[in-house]
Structure formats: C-alpha cells, structure tokens
Amino acid sequence: TQEVTPQLQNPVASPQISPAPMAPASATLAPEAPIKARRGEALAMRRAIKQERLKEIMRLAFDGELFSHDDAQDKLLIADSTVRSYLAELVRLGKLVKSGKGKGTRYRRA
C-alpha cells in the first residue's frame, strides 16, 4: 500500500496589501510664508539665548575679577566650543581682556 501524505496549505492566506493612498503634494507641504516666519522666530530665540549667555559671562567678570574658561562653562552649562566662541567674541568686541595661555588663560572685564 502506498501512503499519501496530505499537502498542507497555509490556513492563513496573506491578504493583498495595497499601498497607502498618497495625499496630493499641495496638502502635505506647508506654504513658504509660515516656514520663513518660524525660521525667523527660531533665529530670534537663538539670538536672545546667546545675548543672555553673554550677559552671564560678563557677570562673572564683575568688579574686575579674573575667571577662566572652565568657570564660564560651569556657570552656563554649555558646550566647550560654545564657551570658547562666546569668550572670543567678547574679547574681539573689547568687553573682556584675555591674559595667559592654555590652561592658565584668564579673562577680566575690559
């Protein structure tokens, strides 16, 4: 006698998946004016934050006290490169005087 093994068919047939309907391009893209307005608002916010941080650095130099890059970074809790950039800008503007080199660099109010 010959045994016949039944062929199992997948009881869960995979349904045909149709792609999601695409929205027209005009519906998904925001108009240019609001994007530019948001960029302007973001830029204004970044400038305000920068100005506040520069004021904080100047407060460190109150009454001619010397302070270091690390003092400014500890006070502001921001990236090393950002503090360096801010200090360089204040020196360039003549608001701070830089003395020393390397780890011995100190800043004071001009």
Short mmCIF file of all heavy atoms in Angstrom, two decimals, residues 31-49:
data_model
loop_
_atom_site.label_atom_id
_atom_site.label_comp_id
_atom_site.label_asym_id
_atom_site.label_seq_id
_atom_site.Cartn_x
_atom_site.Cartn_y
_atom_site.Cartn_z
N PRO A 31 2.88 76.07 3.26
CA PRO A 31 3.23 77.23 2.43
C PRO A 31 4.56 77.84 2.89
O PRO A 31 4.94 77.71 4.04
CB PRO A 31 2.08 78.21 2.66
CG PRO A 31 1.00 77.43 3.30
CD PRO A 31 1.62 76.22 3.94
N GLU A 32 5.23 78.53 2.00
CA GLU A 32 6.54 79.11 2.29
C GLU A 32 6.51 80.15 3.40
O GLU A 32 7.39 80.20 4.23
CB GLU A 32 7.14 79.74 1.03
CG GLU A 32 7.70 78.72 0.08
CD GLU A 32 8.88 77.96 0.67
OE1 GLU A 32 9.78 78.59 1.22
OE2 GLU A 32 8.89 76.73 0.57
N ALA A 33 5.52 80.99 3.42
CA ALA A 33 5.48 82.09 4.41
C ALA A 33 5.55 81.59 5.85
O ALA A 33 6.35 82.06 6.62
CB ALA A 33 4.26 82.96 4.18
N PRO A 34 4.74 80.60 6.26
CA PRO A 34 4.85 80.14 7.65
C PRO A 34 6.20 79.53 7.98
O PRO A 34 6.70 79.70 9.08
CB PRO A 34 3.74 79.11 7.76
CG PRO A 34 2.74 79.52 6.76
CD PRO A 34 3.56 80.06 5.61
N ILE A 35 6.82 78.85 7.02
CA ILE A 35 8.14 78.27 7.29
C ILE A 35 9.16 79.37 7.53
O ILE A 35 9.93 79.32 8.47
CB ILE A 35 8.59 77.36 6.11
CG1 ILE A 35 7.73 76.11 6.07
CG2 ILE A 35 10.06 77.00 6.24
CD1 ILE A 35 7.97 75.23 4.88
N LYS A 36 9.12 80.40 6.70
CA LYS A 36 10.05 81.51 6.87
C LYS A 36 9.79 82.23 8.19
O LYS A 36 10.73 82.66 8.86
CB LYS A 36 9.94 82.48 5.70
CG LYS A 36 10.54 81.93 4.43
CD LYS A 36 10.47 82.93 3.30
CE LYS A 36 11.06 82.33 2.03
NZ LYS A 36 10.95 83.25 0.90
N ALA A 37 8.53 82.35 8.55
CA ALA A 37 8.20 83.00 9.83
C ALA A 37 8.74 82.19 11.00
O ALA A 37 9.28 82.75 11.95
CB ALA A 37 6.69 83.19 9.94
N ARG A 38 8.60 80.86 10.92
CA ARG A 38 9.11 80.01 12.00
C ARG A 38 10.62 80.08 12.07
O ARG A 38 11.20 80.07 13.15
CB ARG A 38 8.63 78.58 11.81
CG ARG A 38 7.16 78.39 12.15
CD ARG A 38 6.82 76.93 12.28
NE ARG A 38 7.17 76.17 11.10
CZ ARG A 38 6.32 75.78 10.15
NH1 ARG A 38 5.05 76.10 10.24
NH2 ARG A 38 6.73 75.07 9.12
N ARG A 39 11.27 80.14 10.92
CA ARG A 39 12.73 80.28 10.92
C ARG A 39 13.14 81.58 11.58
O ARG A 39 14.10 81.63 12.34
CB ARG A 39 13.26 80.25 9.49
CG ARG A 39 13.31 78.88 8.89
CD ARG A 39 13.93 78.93 7.52
NE ARG A 39 13.85 77.63 6.89
CZ ARG A 39 13.78 77.45 5.58
NH1 ARG A 39 13.80 78.49 4.77
NH2 ARG A 39 13.71 76.25 5.08
N GLY A 40 12.42 82.64 11.26
CA GLY A 40 12.71 83.94 11.86
C GLY A 40 12.53 83.92 13.36
O GLY A 40 13.35 84.47 14.11
N GLU A 41 11.46 83.26 13.83
CA GLU A 41 11.22 83.14 15.26
C GLU A 41 12.33 82.34 15.93
O GLU A 41 12.81 82.69 17.01
CB GLU A 41 9.87 82.48 15.52
CG GLU A 41 8.68 83.33 15.15
CD GLU A 41 7.38 82.57 15.21
OE1 GLU A 41 7.36 81.42 15.70
OE2 GLU A 41 6.37 83.12 14.76
N ALA A 42 12.74 81.25 15.29
CA ALA A 42 13.80 80.41 15.86
C ALA A 42 15.12 81.18 15.93
O ALA A 42 15.85 81.10 16.92
CB ALA A 42 13.97 79.14 15.03
N LEU A 43 15.42 81.94 14.88
CA LEU A 43 16.64 82.74 14.87
C LEU A 43 16.61 83.80 15.97
O LEU A 43 17.60 84.00 16.68
CB LEU A 43 16.82 83.40 13.50
CG LEU A 43 18.07 84.24 13.32
CD1 LEU A 43 19.33 83.41 13.53
CD2 LEU A 43 18.10 84.86 11.93
N ALA A 44 15.48 84.45 16.13
CA ALA A 44 15.33 85.45 17.18
C ALA A 44 15.52 84.82 18.56
O ALA A 44 16.16 85.40 19.44
CB ALA A 44 13.98 86.14 17.08
N MET A 45 14.99 83.61 18.74
CA MET A 45 15.12 82.91 20.02
C MET A 45 16.59 82.56 20.28
O MET A 45 17.10 82.74 21.39
CB MET A 45 14.28 81.64 20.02
CG MET A 45 14.36 80.86 21.31
SD MET A 45 13.73 81.74 22.73
CE MET A 45 12.00 81.61 22.44
N ARG A 46 17.29 82.06 19.25
CA ARG A 46 18.71 81.73 19.43
C ARG A 46 19.53 82.97 19.76
O ARG A 46 20.42 82.93 20.60
CB ARG A 46 19.26 81.05 18.17
CG ARG A 46 18.82 79.61 18.02
CD ARG A 46 19.60 78.88 16.94
NE ARG A 46 19.52 79.51 15.64
CZ ARG A 46 18.59 79.24 14.72
NH1 ARG A 46 17.65 78.37 14.98
NH2 ARG A 46 18.61 79.85 13.55
N ARG A 47 19.21 84.09 19.11
CA ARG A 47 19.93 85.34 19.40
C ARG A 47 19.67 85.79 20.83
O ARG A 47 20.58 86.26 21.51
CB ARG A 47 19.50 86.42 18.42
CG ARG A 47 20.10 86.24 17.05
CD ARG A 47 19.67 87.34 16.12
NE ARG A 47 20.29 87.16 14.81
CZ ARG A 47 19.78 87.62 13.69
NH1 ARG A 47 18.64 88.30 13.70
NH2 ARG A 47 20.38 87.41 12.55
N ALA A 48 18.43 85.67 21.29
CA ALA A 48 18.10 86.07 22.66
C ALA A 48 18.83 85.20 23.67
O ALA A 48 19.35 85.70 24.68
CB ALA A 48 16.59 85.99 22.88
N ILE A 49 18.89 83.90 23.40
CA ILE A 49 19.60 82.98 24.30
C ILE A 49 21.08 83.34 24.33
O ILE A 49 21.70 83.38 25.40
CB ILE A 49 19.39 81.52 23.87
CG1 ILE A 49 17.93 81.10 24.13
CG2 ILE A 49 20.36 80.59 24.58
CD1 ILE A 49 17.56 79.77 23.50
#
